[in-house]
């Protein structure tokens, strides 16, 4: 039931490139908030909001981890789009798609509006929408509006605004006393690591690529030193926070995808002892491991970016078993 007028070619993030060949990510446009104090039109309610994700997308992966840590699975339903992004962007699965998933029941046709593609949902909210059609997308089934499509804000909402519905208590993942430290960490991790891998992979000029490459590995070297005595990124003693969730989704994709697909081949995560054990420490927690679908991740990147990998060849490795090995970080503060 694709709507007339919305079949124009999908414009992907691969096209967000400056004149010098640098990748420049465009900001998300839906930035409303769900608030428990009633200060917005969107109060937290069980069953009202639907989360649309891709299991391949690191930004969407953040929201799945936070949702699982807080035990919000019965409060916020989720649908995962198909791993392949074609010329019309993300599409929903059909009854013929039978991929095995880490989230049973999530890979399915759109259960909310019956749309075939994510772009239909965006255009149903705003027929004149001219931004990127992205996931994660937090949708209000009551008002038929997109509440928010910015991952860093969605995880803040899941952390705090749904406490009345949470069935698990991981602690405050964004505590007031760590706000300054979390912001300081994000100021160098987001541009150089989270977005840094994309600045490398989507660059369309040698100099732009090398600038991003230098920034990325400079930040990874800094991270390796940062994690030498700290179990988590922030706090003294350190505590698991949203900062760790934001970083994990990039690190877990690095060796399997970014090293080859985005040409970030100076070092792998397995070459950084502290980062590797930090990654293992997080991965071995149920909310992180059970939301990581490496098959979807690899299929999406290697088969969807035709300008980078024109024959869509997907490498079968590496095995992820190394992430189940001992991390030896229990005694760090």
């Amino acid at each position: 039931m694709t709507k007339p007028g919305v079949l124009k070619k999908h414009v992907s993030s691969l096209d967000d490139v400056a004149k010098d060949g640098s990748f420049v990510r465009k900001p998300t446009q839906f930035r409303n908030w769900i608030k428990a104090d009633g200060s917005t039109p969107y109060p937290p309610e069980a069953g009202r909001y639907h989360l649309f994700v891709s299991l391949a997308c690191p930004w969407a992966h953040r929201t799945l981890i936070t949702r699982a840590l807080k035990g919000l699975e019965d409060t916020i339903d989720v649908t995962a789009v198909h791993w392949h992004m074609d010329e019309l962007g993300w599409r929903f699965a059909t009854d013929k798609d039978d991929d095995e998933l880490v989230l049973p029941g999530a890979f399915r046709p759109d259960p909310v509006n019956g749309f075939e593609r994510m772009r239909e949902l965006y255009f149903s909210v705003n027929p004149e929408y001219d931004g990127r059609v992205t996931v994660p997308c937090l949708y209000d089934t009551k008002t038929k509006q997109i509440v928010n499509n910015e991952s860093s804000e969605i995880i803040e909402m899941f952390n705090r605004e749904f406490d009345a519905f949470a069935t698990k208590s991981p602690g405050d993942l964004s505590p007031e006393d760590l706000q300054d430290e979390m912001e300081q960490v994000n100021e160098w991790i987001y541009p150089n690591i989270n977005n840094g891998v994309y600045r490398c992979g989507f660059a369309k000029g040698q100099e732009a690529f090398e600038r991003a490459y230098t920034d990325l590995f400079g930040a990874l070297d800094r991270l390796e030193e940062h994690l030498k005595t700290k179990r988590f990124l922030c706090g003294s003693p350190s505590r698991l926070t949203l900062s760790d969730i934001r970083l994990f989704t990039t690190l877990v994709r690095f060796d399997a995808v970014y090293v080859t697909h985005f040409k970030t081949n100076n070092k792998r995560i397995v070459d950084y002892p502290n980062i590797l054990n930090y990654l293992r420490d997080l991965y071995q927690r149920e909310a992180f491991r059970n939301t990581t679908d490496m098959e979807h991740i690899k299929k999406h990147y290697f088969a969807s970016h035709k300008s980078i990998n024109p024959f869509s060849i997907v490498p079968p490795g590496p095995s992820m078993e190394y992430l189940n090995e001992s991390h030896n970080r229990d005694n760090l503060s």
Side-chain angles (χ1 to χ4, degrees):
M1 53 182 298
T2 301
K3 296 174 65 174
V6 301
L7 287 175
K8 62 182 181 180
K9 182 180 178 181
H10 170 69
V11 181
S12 78
S13 294
L14 280 162
D15 300 304
D16 293 343
V17 177
K19 290 182 179 179
D20 67 352
S22 301
F23 170 67
V24 182
R25 186 177 298 279
K26 290 188 176 181
T28 50
Q29 296 190 24
F30 292 92
R31 309 295 287 272
N32 293 310
W33 281 73
I34 297 168
K35 298 290 287 186
D37 63 9
S39 60
T40 73
Y42 303 104
E45 296 178 14
R48 174 170 173 173
Y49 302 99
H50 199 92
L51 180 64
F52 293 97
V53 301
S54 162
L55 298 178
C57 172
W59 318 106
H61 193 178
R62 299 170 167 189
T63 65
L64 292 174
I65 294 170
T66 310
R67 172 179 173 264
L69 281 171
K70 299 290 287 190
L72 294 173
E73 291 92 339
D74 292 335
T75 298
I76 302 166
D77 201 5
V78 64
T79 296
V81 297
H82 195 275
W83 53 263
H84 186 245
M85 178 185 283
D86 62 17
E87 68 277 4
L88 293 177
W90 297 113
R91 72 167 175 87
F92 291 103
T94 68
D95 293 332
K96 296 180 180 179
D97 294 312
D98 60 356
D99 280 29
E100 292 294 327
L101 280 184
V102 297
L103 296 178
F107 190 60
R108 57 184 172 175
D110 172 20
V112 179
N113 297 297
F115 293 144
E116 295 176 5
R117 292 184 174 271
M118 275 300 297
R119 63 195 293 108
E120 294 177 74
L121 184 140
Y122 274 75
F123 280 102
S124 72
V125 171
N126 178 8
E128 305 302 319
Y129 181 71
D130 62 356
R132 296 283 179 259
V133 175
T134 60
V135 290
C137 177
L138 188 58
Y139 182 75
D140 180 7
T141 64
K142 183 175 181 179
T143 63
K144 301 293 185 181
Q145 296 295 313
I146 294 173
V147 179
N148 198 294
N149 66 341
E150 170 52 52
S151 66
S152 64
E153 295 176 355
I154 294 173
I155 61 177
E156 289 281 0
M157 287 182 250
F158 286 1
N159 173 57
R160 185 167 289 120
E161 306 304 332
F162 286 87
D163 279 352
F165 304 93
T167 62
K168 296 178 182 177
S169 302
D172 189 352
L173 299 170
S174 185
E176 289 299 326
D177 64 310
L178 292 184
Q179 289 301 300
D180 289 345
E181 187 176 355
M182 291 174 67
E183 182 58 34
Q184 289 167 8
V185 164
N186 191 57
E187 284 177 357
W188 59 271
I189 287 181
Y190 169 74
N192 300 313
I193 299 178
N194 295 137
N195 199 46
V197 292
Y198 286 94
R199 289 173 54 214
C200 291
F202 291 173
K204 293 185 178 180
Q206 186 66 35
E207 290 185 4
F209 171 79
E210 291 188 14
R211 283 196 302 272
Y213 188 92
T214 299
D215 291 343
L216 169 62
F217 286 100
L220 286 173
D221 289 343
R222 180 177 178 181
L223 179 64
E224 175 71 5
E225 184 66 24
H226 184 86
L227 293 172
K228 182 182 293 184
T229 58
K230 295 173 72 72
R231 185 171 187 177
F232 304 110
L233 287 174
C234 299
S236 183
S238 63
R239 286 171 271 170
L240 178 68
T241 67
L242 296 180
S243 296
D244 299 293
I245 295 171
R246 290 194 290 256
L247 177 58
F248 171 83
T249 61
T250 299
L251 296 182
V252 80
R253 288 161 172 75
F254 199 92
D255 288 6
V257 174
Y258 302 143
V259 168
T260 51
H261 191 58
F262 284 171
K263 309 176 186 69
T264 59
N265 63 355
N266 186 50
K267 288 184 181 179
R268 302 163 300 164
I269 297 304
V270 296
D271 299 319
Y272 292 97
N274 297 325
I275 302 177
L276 172 60
N277 282 322
Y278 167 79
L279 177 59
R280 285 171 171 157
D281 189 4
L282 295 178
Y283 180 80
Q284 290 171 26
R285 298 162 192 262
E286 186 178 78
F288 291 79
R289 181 181 63 252
N290 290 352
T291 56
T292 301
D293 192 311
M294 198 52 64
E295 285 304 306
H296 263 231
I297 289 168
K298 290 193 297 183
K299 285 179 179 178
H300 165 68
Y301 281 98
F302 287 105
S304 296
H305 300 153
K306 293 297 181 70
S307 63
I308 299 175
N309 188 28
F311 296 106
S312 300
I313 295 171
V314 181
S319 167
M320 302 304 288
E321 282 304 307
Y322 72 95
L323 292 179
N324 291 316
E325 296 175 14
S326 173
H327 54 72
N328 299 318
R329 292 183 64 81
D330 297 304
N331 296 325
L332 292 178
S333 60

